[in-house]
Amino acid sequence: MNKGLQWLVGLAIVATLAGCSTGTRQPDAPAPTTTPSTSPSRDLGPLTGSLAHPKSRWVPVAWSELPGFNDDALHEGWVAMLSNCTRPNAAFAPLCREVRQLSLAETVEQREWMMQRLQPYRVESHSGPTDGKLTSYYEPVFDATRRPTATNTVPLYQTPVGLVPKRPWFTRQEIDTLPQAQAALRGREIAWLADPIDVLMLHIQGSGRLRITEPDGSQRMVRVAFAATNEQPYRSVQQWLVSQGATKVSLWPDDTKQWVAQNPQRLQPLLWSNPRYVFFREEPLSEVDASSGPVGAQGVPLTAGRSIAVDRDSIPYGTPVWLASPGPTVSLAKLVVAQDTGSAIVGAVRADYFAGTGADAGRFAARMNQPLRLWALWPK
């Protein structure tokens, strides 16, 4: 291996370690509390080898390989690039001054800068396949009350006292049935919702917004952000429904709610099919906060349509990525940034596309399940 390539591989490892903080839609640990250090930029000249990561191989390619590169509205993607620069990984940090300077530039200038300063790498598995799967997630919005009512009987909990990170706690079924689990959660309620499927949706998405009615009748909007899990494995409720003979489960959660309405006696087994349970923290929602998505694993707010969740062993947080995914829901060829992760987002070419906030974003996310190709855009 030549010295230049050795240097780049070393930088990639540093960046991976700096960028691989966790704290996500359903992360395994909280996001880091320090900003990764920066390192000087260096022109390495032509690249001749591939960069290896634990779950992927990056192969250098020409910009002409990226579908739709000349057509994307890059100024929209620049919002995510700017957000990225509030907590960049070690490799990208030296470029952030230039990224900020280009925030109001024309798309053609931003494209020229990318071609001068970044090298595209095709992301593929170590065994060679370059195709993967794209799904989508969003930030739901639900009505809630601060105290239980005749209709709002399903709690959303803060982290229980005594929960130990990385140590399995009670399963979802045990939380619902065991007195010792219920005692540990007593007094930890953030709010109460009417529909257990809505609460399950919050657990799966990992964050959301609540329109809370306070005891005095006033209302306010807050964000509930991921705090911890019970460290139990995640199981797909949709797969469980299929195993039970359900034939229509593509539009989550509408199809699930319809199935529950037809099979009310099977609600609890459906909920308990996913033993993972998520705990939240309440955050105020200012006008500035309301204009952006929740904070992802990288520690920065997500940008609708421009942030993706990835497997951190394939792509480090803070890496700009070119994403290409042909229909059937929508055909995408665009700049995105790897800023989040999720328990189901595993593999070299795997991404979850942040669709935004609210019901329309939720309907879009429910339909998204289509082929995917990725190119990491790494500093030269």
Side-chain angles (χ1 to χ4, degrees):
M1 181 181 293
N2 64 53
K3 292 183 178 180
L5 185 57
Q6 285 179 329
W7 184 89
L8 183 57
V9 172
L11 181 59
I13 293 171
V14 172
T16 301
L17 294 175
C20 286
S21 57
T22 57
T24 160
R25 293 193 300 121
Q26 290 186 5
D28 297 322
T33 56
T34 58
T35 301
S37 60
T38 63
S39 59
S41 179
R42 178 179 175 186
D43 183 6
L44 298 178
L47 296 174
T48 58
S50 62
L51 294 181
H53 294 263
K55 290 186 181 178
S56 67
R57 178 175 59 201
W58 293 10
V59 179
V61 300
W63 284 97
S64 58
E65 181 176 304
L66 278 57
F69 179 66
N70 292 322
D71 303 322
D72 186 30
L74 291 179
H75 63 278
E76 297 175 3
W78 227 255
V79 176
M81 295 278 277
L82 290 168
S83 177
N84 183 41
C85 280
T86 64
R87 204 182 185 107
N89 64 38
F92 200 80
L95 303 183
C96 282
R97 180 179 179 181
E98 297 171 27
V99 169
R100 295 186 182 100
Q101 290 174 340
L102 288 167
S103 60
L104 298 179
E106 297 292 333
T107 294
V108 63
E109 297 178 74
Q110 294 169 341
R111 186 175 292 110
E112 288 174 354
W113 177 87
M114 290 175 63
M115 296 178 70
Q116 292 171 1
R117 302 294 270 150
L118 305 177
Q119 167 65 44
Y121 288 83
R122 184 174 61 247
V123 180
E124 56 187 44
S125 69
H126 288 295
S127 59
T130 60
D131 294 331
K133 182 172 75 170
L134 180 67
T135 53
S136 182
Y137 66 112
Y138 79 111
E139 184 182 34
V141 181
F142 296 121
D143 290 323
T145 54
R146 186 65 72 182
R147 294 175 180 172
T149 67
T151 57
N152 288 29
T153 60
V154 188
L156 203 66
Y157 288 113
Q158 302 176 56
T159 304
V161 176
L163 185 74
V164 179
K166 299 295 185 181
R167 182 178 299 176
W169 204 61
F170 298 105
T171 66
R172 183 179 296 272
Q173 182 174 356
E174 290 169 340
I175 288 171
D176 288 343
T177 59
L178 294 183
Q180 56 266 46
Q182 295 169 359
L185 289 167
R186 192 169 298 121
R188 306 296 292 171
E189 301 90 350
I190 295 175
W192 301 76
L193 282 73
D195 193 330
I197 301 300
D198 289 343
V199 172
L200 182 63
M201 171 63 75
L202 282 168
H203 285 204
I204 292 172
Q205 300 299 320
S207 64
R209 301 186 189 190
L210 298 180
R211 191 180 296 104
I212 294 185
T213 300
E214 301 287 358
D216 63 1
S218 62
Q219 288 189 334
R220 66 190 183 109
M221 187 76 77
V222 303
R223 174 172 276 148
V224 283
F226 178 96
T229 77
N230 60 349
E231 297 294 345
Q232 296 288 344
Y234 172 81
R235 296 286 183 264
S236 169
V237 171
Q238 291 173 300
Q239 291 180 5
W240 182 87
L241 283 168
V242 171
S243 74
Q244 300 300 302
T247 58
K248 187 181 179 183
V249 294
S250 59
L251 292 180
W252 169 268
D254 295 344
D255 290 342
T256 302
K257 289 186 177 183
Q258 183 178 355
W259 186 90
V260 169
Q262 296 169 351
N263 303 272
Q265 76 283 1
R266 303 177 70 184
L267 170 62
Q268 287 307 131
L270 178 145
L271 297 173
W272 294 341
S273 69
N274 177 23
R276 174 164 288 198
Y277 202 94
V278 175
F279 305 105
F280 298 87
R281 64 177 181 272
E282 180 179 332
E283 298 178 345
L285 198 63
S286 67
E287 290 186 12
V288 174
D289 295 330
S291 65
S292 61
V295 173
Q298 186 189 357
V300 303
L302 303 177
T303 302
R306 295 291 177 168
S307 295
I308 59 171
V310 297
D311 187 330
R312 56 184 178 165
D313 286 332
S314 174
I315 300 175
Y317 299 151
T319 302
V321 175
W322 192 261
L323 177 152
S325 179
T329 298
V330 63
S331 290
L332 299 173
K334 63 195 307 186
L335 172 67
V336 295
V337 182
Q339 296 180 316
D340 205 359
T341 193
S343 58
I345 312 305
V346 179
V349 189
R350 179 72 172 94
D352 216 14
Y353 180 87
F354 179 63
T357 299
D360 288 343
R363 284 187 283 269
F364 174 92
R367 297 192 305 270
M368 177 66 76
N369 191 333
Q370 55 191 49
L372 172 69
R373 297 187 72 190
L374 297 174
W375 290 262
L377 310 181
W378 201 248
K380 290 182 179 179

